[in-house]
Amino acid sequence: MTMLAMTKKVFTVIATVAGSALLSSCALEGVAPNALMAGSDAAASETARTMTPRTIDNFMLADTDYMGHELYRMSDAKLIVIISHANGCPIVRNLAPAIRELKAKYEGQGVQFLMVNSATQDSMEAIAKEKAEFNFDLPILKDSNQLVGEQLGVTRTGEFFVVDPKTWRVVYRGPLDDRLDYGVQKARASHTWTADAIDAALAGKPIKMANKPSPGCLIDFPARSNPAKLTYVKDVAPILEAKCVACHQEGGIGPFAMTSYEMVKGFSPMIREVIRTDRMPPWNVDAHVGKWADDRSLTPAEVKTVVHWVEQGAVRGEGKDPLATTRHVAERWPLGKPDLILDIPAYTIPASGVVDYQRPVMVNPLKEGRWVRASTFAVSQRQAVHHFLTGYLNEVPVDGKGNESRWGASMGGYAVGAESTLWPTNIGTYLPPGGAIGVQAHYTPFGKEVTDKSQLGLYFYKEGEQPDLVMRNSVVIDPTITIPPGAARHKETAYLEFPKEALLYSAFPHAHYRGYASDLWIEYPDGSRKMLLAMPRYDFNWQREYTFAQPVKVPAGSKLIASYWYDNSKQNPANPDPTKTVVWGDQSWEEMFYTAVRYRWVDETSTKLTNYDELLNQGRMMGMLDDNIDGKLQKAELRGQMGEMIGRYFAMIDADKSGALEKSELAAMQGMMRRRNQAQQAPTPATPPAAPTARQGGAGGR
């Protein structure tokens, strides 16, 4: 080689190196230099320091659509890929197209994909915006308490964890490939580590590179960098006493009583599990939506304190045992002695088999009407009683059956974990003298024959005292639901349109074994919407009323829109039969769509009652059937027996021949049906003295 040639080659190398240095200090397309980033050596040391767990424990987190994801319910997947995420990181943003390609390649082979955001600074709304902007086509779960990220040992965004659901082992942790690094990106990857790991795991072969540092933005885990030394006496027992002992006490509904450190420590692994999976405390609405007057959930700080205490070895600490100092025993009447106690007729539940809904009545002994301010149930067989609903009857039925079609005002209800109903101050429901209170009783056999002798306790305003305002109750309901076999997230929607201005006080979602998630929205007259309640994971075993911290204003013409998602797949451990089409029915292996609401009409008082509930009920059928919520019924929306009946007379009902049924046309049909049924007994009004006749309750009680 000549001197000239050598000189040219040297200058070429120098120029190349200089150019590379210049490029690495500049922003490349989609990858800007970032103070959150550090070199690969630092990433390697962080990965080694935090370590990768051999297995991953179960968890439940909600995604940006407020749909719950429980890890161990994905056990039918061949593999699960979890990717760490945080908003604003250029590397993870740049990965979006490659993640879509990876998902498209392997999803059909039984691989499921999730992203988990453990960044404390990212709100659910901000994550949803980032997800849409960069077209991430997989769920992004919000790890608000950082428990999942901590256990996985996450340090940065863009870490890929490949999990084998057969053993829940983490078989690979590392980057997607080598295309991206800090300030550098290549046109094509030379190493596809995540895809290689997936291929090997699917083929049952060893993974050559199972743990590799990933480039990405650092995620702050405060408890990891500065862990507090937690003890039972100082940190944990006060939380348990405030939030858990009410159920976990002698005679309580909890499976064990938290009576001492030894008892709590013995159950500590289980306590950690039920908190991570959001099974306990039984408060199923998402903390990111709404504020609640009766919030019994653990705060983020309380969640982390209890879980970290367990993970640190459940240390007792010095001092007296707070839970052993005072004996906690469940009271039969937690609200105090009722003003009136009514016996629900005793019923013997067999050890097995099917028990149809019972509809007994309780004779009302009152000689004068009273205003109800609270009610509670003392249930003698908690394992066998699924729920009680109630409604006032003007007369004691001759046949002894209090069918719901005859009900007036609700006197409260019961479901596991929701024994009491309290009316707000200066609001009540009128109970006239005489008549009876009908009960809808749902009993479930549990392997042993028992006789239930439950009671209803009512609490009144003082004699001569009358609240100014009247509480009403109704329900967003859809008896036309049809859930296909094997459907994992089947959605149904219905609404209730309010004809006059109201204040909404509470909501009580109810479904059966296949219920998976639920939400409640308000749609205002201008078409705008606001989410009022989000329940990412419905739990059939724990049902309760959720009372808003402040009543929600419902302008006239607004709609309360409820949606339910049902899991009729084999991955639902409570599913009686995933091969069946499921429709509405009373029994738990059938399904329901039932969100009970309590409200009051703004311009109604106890001395000036209205007929607004009647107007509300006139729009109920439209809300059941109008799936696209456009205020009209098309033939395609007609389902179930009700839909079939309307379909037979569709042309007759469609007076203007528009091809769709308007509200007025449906109301005319309902009027005709009411006139046809005038001979039958109608729902009974519950009317205070010297007040115009008006129905006090909505359809079906709670």
Side-chain angles (χ1 to χ4, degrees):
M1 181 182 293
T2 65
M3 181 64 70
L4 179 60
M6 289 182 62
T7 302
K8 287 183 177 180
K9 186 171 183 178
V10 169
F11 275 106
T12 301
V13 171
I14 292 173
T16 302
V17 172
S20 297
L22 179 63
L23 285 173
S24 66
S25 67
C26 296
L28 297 181
E29 182 181 355
V31 187
N34 192 303
L36 295 174
M37 299 178 180
S40 297
D41 291 342
S45 65
E46 290 152 6
T47 302
R49 187 169 65 249
T50 57
M51 299 182 63
T52 304
R54 179 177 174 80
T55 59
I56 180 171
D57 296 334
N58 197 14
F59 64 81
M60 201 291 289
L61 296 175
D63 65 22
T64 52
D65 294 321
Y66 295 99
M67 188 63 59
H69 298 264
E70 184 176 350
L71 183 67
Y72 283 16
R73 279 182 75 157
M74 304 176 194
S75 57
D76 64 337
K78 297 290 182 61
L79 295 170
I80 299 168
V81 178
I82 300 173
I83 309 163
S84 58
H85 174 269
N87 283 4
C89 179
I91 283 188
V92 78
R93 285 174 170 178
N94 194 286
L95 284 171
I99 292 172
R100 289 195 296 273
E101 292 176 9
L102 189 75
K103 180 171 175 281
K105 179 179 179 180
Y106 289 105
E107 197 170 37
Q109 299 180 52
V111 181
Q112 294 192 27
F113 292 81
L114 300 169
M115 297 189 91
V116 173
N117 183 306
S118 303
T120 56
Q121 71 273 18
D122 292 345
S123 68
M124 193 73 95
E125 294 75 15
I127 298 169
K129 184 178 179 182
E130 179 107 346
K131 179 178 186 287
E133 184 177 354
F134 291 92
N135 193 21
F136 288 106
D137 65 343
L138 71 170
I140 303 181
L141 283 52
K142 179 56 180 170
D143 181 24
S144 298
N145 298 315
Q146 297 193 313
L147 299 180
V148 176
E150 284 177 355
Q151 201 228 341
L152 281 172
V154 169
T155 59
R156 296 176 178 270
T157 62
E159 293 188 79
F160 287 69
F161 297 82
V162 180
V163 179
D164 181 356
K166 291 189 292 294
T167 60
W168 299 112
R169 286 187 59 202
V170 179
V171 298
Y172 170 77
R173 174 195 183 174
L176 175 67
D177 53 36
D178 66 346
R179 188 177 64 85
L180 294 174
D181 207 332
Y182 302 106
V184 178
Q185 71 171 341
K186 300 190 295 187
R188 298 176 65 88
S190 304
H191 300 281
T192 54
W193 293 300
T194 295
D196 294 345
I198 293 173
D199 287 334
L202 289 174
K205 297 178 179 179
I207 296 171
K208 294 180 180 179
M209 180 116 20
N211 202 322
K212 184 172 177 58
S214 300
C217 302
L218 283 168
I219 300 174
D220 182 31
F221 286 87
R224 182 187 293 158
S225 57
N226 187 26
K229 301 299 182 183
L230 302 167
T231 69
Y232 162 83
V233 171
K234 178 173 65 73
D235 304 293
V236 174
I239 296 173
L240 302 180
E241 191 159 25
K243 297 292 182 72
C244 306
V245 169
C247 292
H248 289 271
Q249 60 181 314
E250 294 180 41
I253 60 177
F256 69 95
M258 293 181 173
T259 54
S260 66
Y261 163 73
E262 289 75 18
M263 181 65 74
V264 173
K265 179 177 171 57
F267 280 98
S268 61
M270 195 66 204
I271 291 172
R272 175 181 179 270
E273 177 182 303
V274 297
I275 291 177
R276 281 177 57 92
T277 54
D278 206 27
R279 302 204 302 272
M280 287 286 135
W283 185 264
N284 300 118
V285 292
D286 192 275
H288 299 90
V289 179
K291 301 293 182 183
W292 308 99
D294 52 351
D295 192 340
R296 299 185 183 183
S297 63
L298 296 178
T299 66
E302 290 169 337
V303 166
K304 287 182 275 193
T305 295
V306 175
V307 171
H308 289 157
W309 170 73
V310 176
E311 292 172 347
Q312 290 176 12
V315 176
R316 184 191 187 282
E318 299 296 326
K320 292 183 178 180
D321 185 336
L323 298 186
T325 303
T326 303
R327 185 185 178 195
H328 297 275
V329 181
E331 299 181 57
R332 182 169 180 80
W333 301 108
L335 303 181
K337 184 180 178 181
D339 298 309
L340 176 64
I341 297 176
L342 298 173
D343 293 326
I344 299 173
Y347 185 82
T348 298
I349 300 108
S352 61
V354 178
V355 177
D356 292 331
Y357 273 34
Q358 302 299 303
R359 293 174 170 85
V361 299
M362 301 175 290
V363 176
N364 178 16
L366 293 180
K367 303 301 181 184
E368 296 182 358
R370 298 293 298 272
W371 285 91
V372 179
R373 62 179 179 85
S375 69
T376 194
F377 286 80
V379 176
S380 70
Q381 297 294 336
R382 291 182 182 273
Q383 286 183 274
V385 177
H386 174 265
H387 75 252
F388 291 130
L389 301 177
T390 63
Y392 177 71
L393 300 164
N394 191 48
E395 297 178 351
V396 179
V398 176
D399 60 4
K401 296 180 179 180
N403 191 282
E404 295 89 342
S405 66
R406 307 172 183 177
W407 284 6
S410 170
M411 294 296 124
Y414 164 86
V416 178
E419 292 85 1
S420 302
T421 303
L422 284 77
W423 280 249
T425 303
N426 201 29
I427 300 177
T429 294
Y430 186 70
L431 175 61
I437 295 174
V439 179
Q440 182 196 90
H442 183 184
Y443 299 108
T444 55
F446 64 97
K448 174 177 134 180
E449 182 181 294
V450 293
T451 298
D452 182 66
K453 298 178 180 179
S454 296
Q455 295 176 310
L456 168 63
L458 296 177
Y459 302 81
F460 301 134
Y461 282 87
K462 295 178 181 178
E463 286 192 29
E465 185 179 0
Q466 180 169 322
D468 293 330
L469 306 171
V470 181
M471 184 65 76
R472 301 277 185 166
N473 52 277
S474 192
V475 61
V476 187
I477 190 171
D478 186 359
T480 72
I481 57 174
T482 303
I483 306 165
R489 299 293 180 271
H490 177 75
K491 182 180 179 181
E492 296 276 0
T493 300
Y495 64 86
L496 193 61
E497 185 168 358
F498 278 66
K500 301 292 181 178
E501 185 178 2
L503 287 174
L504 177 67
Y505 284 84
S506 66
F508 191 131
H510 172 71
H512 288 167
Y513 288 143
R514 295 172 177 86
Y516 187 86
S518 181
D519 64 21
L520 182 67
W521 294 73
I522 182 171
E523 181 179 280
Y524 295 102
D526 64 1
S528 62
R529 291 188 182 185
K530 179 182 179 181
M531 182 180 277
L532 302 178
L533 176 151
M535 186 176 285
R537 270 295 307 280
Y538 172 81
D539 188 343
F540 177 76
N541 299 297
W542 292 101
Q543 303 176 53
R544 67 181 322 113
E545 180 179 52
Y546 296 92
T547 302
F548 297 99
Q550 296 295 328
V552 177
K553 293 181 180 180
V554 183
S558 298
K559 298 181 180 74
L560 290 183
I561 304 171
S563 292
Y564 282 78
W565 287 261
Y566 300 92
D567 185 356
N568 196 19
S569 73
K570 64 181 181 180
Q571 287 308 112
N572 178 357
N575 193 349
D577 188 348
T579 67
K580 286 190 174 181
T581 297
V582 183
V583 296
W584 174 279
D586 287 348
Q587 295 300 330
S588 299
W589 62 83
E590 299 167 315
E591 262 310 330
M592 281 194 176
F593 180 120
Y594 189 100
T595 297
V597 293
R598 293 205 296 158
Y599 58 93
R600 71 173 181 87
W601 301 112
V602 169
D603 58 357
E604 180 178 53
T605 67
S606 61
T607 58
K608 184 185 174 184
L609 301 181
T610 70
N611 69 338
Y612 295 165
D613 270 14
E614 182 180 339
L615 299 178
L616 182 79
N617 289 331
Q618 288 177 6
R620 184 178 301 283
M621 188 177 293
M622 178 68 78
M624 292 176 186
L625 298 171
D626 180 22
D627 289 337
N628 63 4
I629 318 180
D630 66 350
K632 301 177 182 180
L633 284 186
Q634 285 79 25
K635 283 187 177 181
E637 294 176 306
L638 301 178
R639 298 180 301 165
Q641 292 182 345
M642 186 184 302
E644 290 176 7
M645 181 197 69
I646 295 173
R648 286 197 297 268
Y649 301 100
F650 193 93
M652 183 187 304
I653 302 169
D654 185 17
D656 62 2
K657 308 304 177 187
S658 65
L661 302 184
E662 311 283 344
K663 292 180 186 178
S664 58
E665 294 169 334
L666 204 58
M669 181 205 73
Q670 291 176 279
M672 179 181 67
M673 292 172 61
R674 281 195 299 270
R675 289 190 294 272
R676 181 176 295 177
N677 295 325
Q678 279 180 349
Q680 299 182 5
Q681 186 172 357
T684 305
T687 309
T693 299
R695 180 176 170 84
Q696 290 286 310
R702 294 183 76 211

